[in-house]
Amino acid sequence: MNRLRVTPGPVLTLTALWLATRALMLWLLTHGGARLLGGGSVSREVWRLYFHWYGVLTQGSFPVHDTLWQYPPGAGAVLLAPGLLPGLTYFEAFVGVTLAVDALTLAALLRAGTRPGRSLLGAALWTGGLPLLLHLPLARYDVQVTALAMFSLLASARSPRAGGVFGALGALVKVWPALVLLGTPRGRPTRTAWAWAGWAGLSCLALLAARFTHPLSFLREQGGRGVQIESLGGTALNLARHAGWPGRTRYRYGAIEIVGPHVQAVATASLALTAVSFGLLVLWRVRARHWTEATPFDAALSAVLLFTVTSRVISPQYMIWLIGLAAVCLTSRHTSQRPVAVLVLAASALSTLAYPMFYREVVGGTWAGCLLMLARNGVLTAAAVLSFVRLWRAARPPAGKNVPPTQPRPGSDRLPERALSLS
């Protein structure tokens, strides 16, 4: 029987580092009114927008006819959670819940990283990566949804059922966690994970529909979104303004979007690229012949990266998703995504420069703002391409050998020798 390998030194060091960095993030949150920290715009989303939605949800309805409500019904449960903490303002309770989930996520990464054959690099990446986004992670509920996606991946190796349930819960909050089930090993693990995900998702959706009215109101508003200024398409259009293109920026659907001639064509191109990305991932799934314990982790990071860079919207909080998935990849010594994780950290630092530090430059379309977004999106695009290429190559058998598909056995940390040969 494999026994948990306890390494108290690194674990205590990472715990102390987590406490220090989160204290710094809290300090930044309390001083968020400074211009370089966004002038209060980062925390405003919680005490104004989230708190408004909380009031609507407590009346038994989702925010119907609200153009800012673009989230699946599971998001309502996350926004209601701070109400369970008495004696605190909504803002204080929201930050407290976020920190608690953050700590629970670190604990899961530490547990995974101290198993035989695993690594604590994932816990280190999560601990040191989130502060690159300054105080933003504490004022968005993306830490919660990322945690569900990470729990799904970490649980899947031992229990495809639990992995499917966590994936479904995450998808009910922000859709994209459904992608983490893409790399589940073929055969029974895949059937089990997707079956449990389906039943869990439908059951929770039914409960939410019974408790709240208008559970699908988000679909109308999500479909109306345009090209956000921070997306790849938005960056191209912002650069085109310097060449005489007559477009401008406008606040719509909770973000700064580009409006003007040919914007719809750019939005359509983004959707087409997303469809192409999905096709490439399906092709990888069909042709993959070599599975390791890290393959589900690597496939999840690659899928979310591809869908992120081809999206019409690339909000700064999306980097939380990528940091979390990269952290899960690094818990395995067999991951193919180590260089990708470095690029994710670089893109996160550049995202912070774009928002909140120099967001006025980005919105104003100055050369500094355009070049900053070009750098961030260039690094993200490079990360997505590199991620998929390395995922594809890792799924091929060694040259000159006809290796049948290999996959880890549920509940086991050991892999067939052939599965380890490419690590």
Side-chain angles (χ1 to χ4, degrees):
M1 177 185 296
N2 290 326
R3 301 184 66 182
L4 187 65
R5 187 177 298 168
V6 180
T7 51
V11 169
L12 290 176
T13 299
L14 286 171
T15 302
L17 182 61
W18 183 90
L19 290 170
T21 54
R22 274 41 180 188
L24 175 61
M25 292 167 70
L26 279 171
W27 184 87
L28 291 172
L29 190 64
T30 60
H31 293 77
R35 180 175 176 178
L36 278 181
L37 296 179
S41 62
V42 174
S43 58
R44 189 180 302 126
E45 190 146 330
V46 177
W47 60 260
R48 179 180 293 179
L49 185 59
Y50 290 1
F51 183 57
H52 166 68
W53 286 339
Y54 172 81
V56 176
L57 290 163
T58 55
Q59 301 301 313
S61 174
F62 286 97
V64 67
H65 303 307
D66 185 342
T67 59
L68 301 182
W69 180 256
Q70 304 150 13
Y71 309 106
V78 175
L79 296 175
L80 285 170
L84 300 176
L85 300 181
L88 300 174
T89 66
Y90 183 83
F91 182 85
E92 293 168 343
F94 181 90
V95 174
V97 169
T98 304
L99 281 172
V101 174
D102 181 7
L104 187 62
T105 304
L106 175 65
L109 290 168
L110 289 173
R111 179 176 175 81
T114 51
R115 290 190 179 122
R118 294 297 189 91
S119 170
L120 286 171
L121 281 177
L125 181 72
W126 177 258
T127 302
L130 278 192
L132 290 177
L133 300 173
L134 304 182
H135 52 305
L136 179 73
L138 299 182
R140 299 292 185 273
Y141 71 87
D142 293 86
V143 167
Q144 288 87 321
V145 69
T146 302
L148 290 171
M150 295 168 70
F151 295 160
S152 173
L153 289 170
L154 293 172
S156 289
R158 292 174 173 266
S159 173
R161 295 178 179 179
V165 170
F166 279 121
L169 293 177
L172 277 175
V173 178
K174 261 201 174 179
V175 181
W176 68 265
L179 293 171
V180 304
L181 299 178
L182 179 72
T184 51
R186 288 198 184 111
R188 186 174 179 180
T190 291
R191 293 192 298 271
T192 301
W194 280 99
W196 277 76
W199 282 114
L202 289 173
S203 299
C204 291
L205 183 59
L207 287 173
L208 289 167
R211 175 64 179 82
F212 301 94
T213 60
H214 311 295
L216 302 180
S217 60
F218 74 99
L219 293 173
R220 182 192 307 109
E221 312 307 337
Q222 184 63 245
R225 299 189 79 168
V227 178
Q228 189 197 26
I229 197 171
E230 295 167 71
S231 66
L232 264 68
T235 300
L237 291 171
N238 227 1
L239 284 168
R241 294 167 70 184
H242 290 278
W245 180 69
R248 63 188 188 281
T249 59
R250 180 187 297 175
Y251 182 79
R252 299 195 314 171
Y253 295 95
I256 303 295
E257 295 185 352
I258 298 282
V259 295
H262 314 301
V263 171
Q264 187 56 47
V266 172
T268 302
S270 296
L271 292 174
L273 287 173
T274 299
V276 170
S277 298
F278 182 74
L280 288 173
L281 291 166
V282 171
L283 182 63
W284 165 81
R285 172 86 190 185
V286 170
R287 299 193 63 178
R289 293 292 180 271
H290 185 65
W291 245 265
T292 72
E293 66 177 13
T295 300
F297 306 162
D298 296 353
L301 177 59
S302 185
V304 175
L305 265 169
L306 286 171
F307 275 75
T308 296
V309 298
T310 59
S311 173
R312 295 169 295 169
V313 179
I314 306 181
S315 297
Q317 58 264 31
Y318 289 14
M319 303 309 302
I320 300 172
W321 314 348
L322 301 177
I323 290 172
L325 296 180
V328 174
C329 290
L330 294 189
T331 61
S332 172
R333 298 182 186 275
H334 311 299
T335 181
S336 63
Q337 303 293 304
R338 288 191 182 90
V340 178
V342 175
L343 291 178
V344 166
L345 292 178
S348 299
L350 289 169
S351 286
T352 296
L353 291 176
Y355 181 86
M357 298 186 73
F358 299 107
Y359 198 53
R360 291 185 181 182
E361 305 294 324
V362 175
V363 174
T366 66
W367 275 113
C370 289
L371 292 176
L372 181 56
M373 291 315 308
L374 190 64
R376 196 284 299 268
N377 289 336
V379 172
L380 267 184
T381 302
V385 173
L386 180 63
S387 178
F388 184 74
V389 168
R390 293 180 71 88
L391 177 70
W392 183 278
R393 289 177 178 173
R396 310 310 298 167
K401 294 185 179 181
N402 185 19
V403 181
T406 56
Q407 60 190 46
R409 299 188 304 273
S412 173
D413 285 322
R414 293 185 59 83
L415 293 169
E417 291 300 320
R418 285 175 296 186
L420 299 177
S421 60
L422 287 182
S423 335

